[in-house]
């Protein structure tokens, strides 16, 4: 309540100087709903007021124009993507033409992620790219009408649950009342929906994905203390490690690839898992010794599946010995 009051006070004090974010009126879409939400997470525009209009003078007078105004110019905070000649992409390997969501994310995404997660620049950059790939690019592609598949491939069933569809269905139906106030209220719901979608992704990458990356990176850097070959790593704690391992090997330019990953399972036993050739492959860089496969030896407590993909041992030392023998 206190916070609300001071917010209201500061708004009324600043009524003349309050910044405005203008987006178009009429029916709304996922991209500008997210773009507006993102702007409200920036230091500069967190207190800005959102208005919806297509009136040229109103758009011109606004401090930020999003998805309206037929202009893209960052130094003037004009972020439309509909005009002829607009070709902006995210870059860094991504080639999908941006929507207003992608545009605002491109310019403010790092600041927003940094504010929310308090991580160092390297991690912010990792998350910035991951969230683009896994949350924003699809909005850009859908909004710009870019097909995900060759046009002659017909889907076998309909998918209607995309976030874009859910935002679209917040627009009043043709036979429901739809004045500006009603549309504005519905637009705010769309902003909230897109905001949750976005923040969930940021939190997942910041609080789950990055910590797993750290565990794998630490293990890889420590590989020579585990075995002189450098081909075995021990995870300090179990985490989803596969995608990270390829990435870390890449980043650290590791020539002798990791063959086995050891970690303790929830019951306290140790697992030895063989690494796949690459992220798209089922083939193993090295399988566990054939003689052990499909066996369970009570004495050694080792278990290995028939393909030599995963084995187990009661102790860390035992698991390590199995990995070394398999090299
Ligand atoms: C963007 O706006 C600035 C400031 O008005 C102007 O100097 C610049 O030429 C504009 N850039 C483009 C590409 O129009
Ligand atoms: C590095 O590996 C050794 C040998 O397994 C282990 O004792 C040590 O705790 C590891 N250090 C880190 C930082 O993981």
């Amino acid at each position: 309540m206190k916070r609300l009051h001071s917010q209201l006070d500061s708004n009324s004090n600043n009524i003349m100087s309050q910044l405005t974010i203008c987006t178009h009126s009429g029916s709304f879409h996922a991209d500008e709903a997210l773009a507006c939400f993102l702007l409200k997470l920036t230091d500069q525009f967190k207190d800005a007021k959102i208005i919806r209009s297509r009136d040229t003078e109103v758009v011109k007078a606004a401090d930020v124009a999003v998805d309206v105004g037929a202009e893209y110019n960052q130094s003037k905070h004009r972020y439309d993507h509909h005009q002829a000649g607009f070709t902006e992409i995210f870059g860094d390997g991504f080639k999908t033409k941006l929507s207003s969501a992608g545009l605002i994310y491109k310019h403010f995404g790092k600041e927003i992620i940094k504010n929310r997660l308090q991580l160092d620049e390297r991690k912010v950059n990792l998350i910035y790219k991951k969230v683009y790939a896994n949350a924003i690019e699809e909005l850009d592609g859908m909004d710009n009408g870019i097909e995900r598949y060759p046009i002659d491939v017909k889907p076998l069933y309909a998918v209607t649950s995309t976030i874009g569809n859910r935002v679209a269905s917040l627009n009043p139906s043709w036979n429901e009342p739809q004045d500006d106030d009603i549309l504005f209220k519905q637009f705010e719901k769309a902003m909230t929906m897109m905001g949750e979608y976005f923040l969930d992704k940021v939190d997942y990458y910041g609080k789950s994905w990055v910590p797993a990356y750290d565990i794998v990176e630490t293990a890889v850097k420590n590989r020579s203390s585990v075995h002189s070959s450098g081909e075995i790593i021990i995870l300090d704690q179990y985490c989803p490690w596969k995608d990270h391992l390829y990435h870390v090997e890449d980043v650290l330019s590791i020539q002798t690839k990791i063959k086995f990953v050891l970690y303790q399972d929830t019951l306290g036993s140790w697992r030895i898992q063989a690494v796949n050739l690459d992220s798209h492959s089922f083939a193993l860089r090295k399988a566990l010794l054939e003689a052990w496969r499909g066996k369970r030896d009570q004495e050694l407590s080792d278990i290995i599946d028939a393909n030599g993909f995963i084995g187990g041992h009661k102790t860390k030392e035992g698991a390590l010995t199995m990995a070394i023998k398999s090299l």
Side-chain angles (χ1 to χ4, degrees), residues 218 222 225-226 234 316:
T218 304
N222 193 34
S225 343
V226 172
I234 300 179
K316 184 176 176 179

Side-chain angles (χ1 to χ4, degrees), residues 159-170:
V159 171
T160 63
S161 59
T162 64
I163 192 99
N165 283 335
R166 290 171 58 210
V167 164
S169 67
L170 288 172

Side-chain angles (χ1 to χ4, degrees), residues 130-194:
K130 276 285 171 188
V131 169
Y132 183 72
N134 293 288
I136 313 285
E137 187 178 21
E138 64 183 86
L139 306 175
D140 290 343
M142 300 270 183
D143 196 77
N144 284 311
I146 302 167
E147 299 287 346
R148 290 181 63 216
Y149 299 100
I151 194 122
D152 52 345
V153 175
K154 291 275 172 281
L156 300 179
Y157 53 86
V159 171
T160 63
S161 59
T162 64
I163 192 99
N165 283 335
R166 290 171 58 210
V167 164
S169 67
L170 288 172
N171 282 287
S173 184
W174 64 275
N175 51 3
E176 286 174 345
Q178 36 197 308
D179 61 34
D180 285 351
D181 286 345
I182 291 170
L183 270 157
F184 194 84
K185 280 212 175 69
Q186 292 304 101
F187 181 67
E188 286 185 313
K189 284 187 198 165
M191 280 178 61
T192 302
M193 184 187 281
M194 292 308 296

Side-chain angles (χ1 to χ4, degrees), residues 183-240:
L183 270 157
F184 194 84
K185 280 212 175 69
Q186 292 304 101
F187 181 67
E188 286 185 313
K189 284 187 198 165
M191 280 178 61
T192 302
M193 184 187 281
M194 292 308 296
E196 278 175 9
Y197 164 78
F198 171 77
L199 293 176
D200 278 353
K201 298 277 186 173
V202 170
D203 288 349
Y204 164 73
Y205 284 103
K207 296 173 184 174
S208 171
W209 188 87
V210 156
Y213 184 92
D214 284 345
I215 289 173
V216 175
E217 188 185 45
T218 304
V220 169
K221 284 184 171 164
N222 193 34
R223 66 194 183 286
S224 302
S225 343
V226 172
H227 187 251
S228 56
S229 65
E231 296 177 36
I232 301 168
I233 63 169
I234 300 179
L235 302 179
D236 192 34
Q237 187 189 342
Y238 171 76
C239 64

Side-chain angles (χ1 to χ4, degrees), residues 276-296:
N276 295 109
L277 225 44
D278 57 53
S279 58
H280 313 292
S281 171
F282 287 115
L284 303 173
R285 291 172 173 177
K286 194 142 261 173
L288 286 158
L289 270 192
E290 198 153 2
W292 294 330
R293 292 187 206 163
K295 297 224 170 78
R296 188 192 180 107

Side-chain angles (χ1 to χ4, degrees), residues 71-76:
E71 188 181 3
Y72 166 48
N73 185 333
Q74 194 206 351
S75 57
K76 286 160 64 185

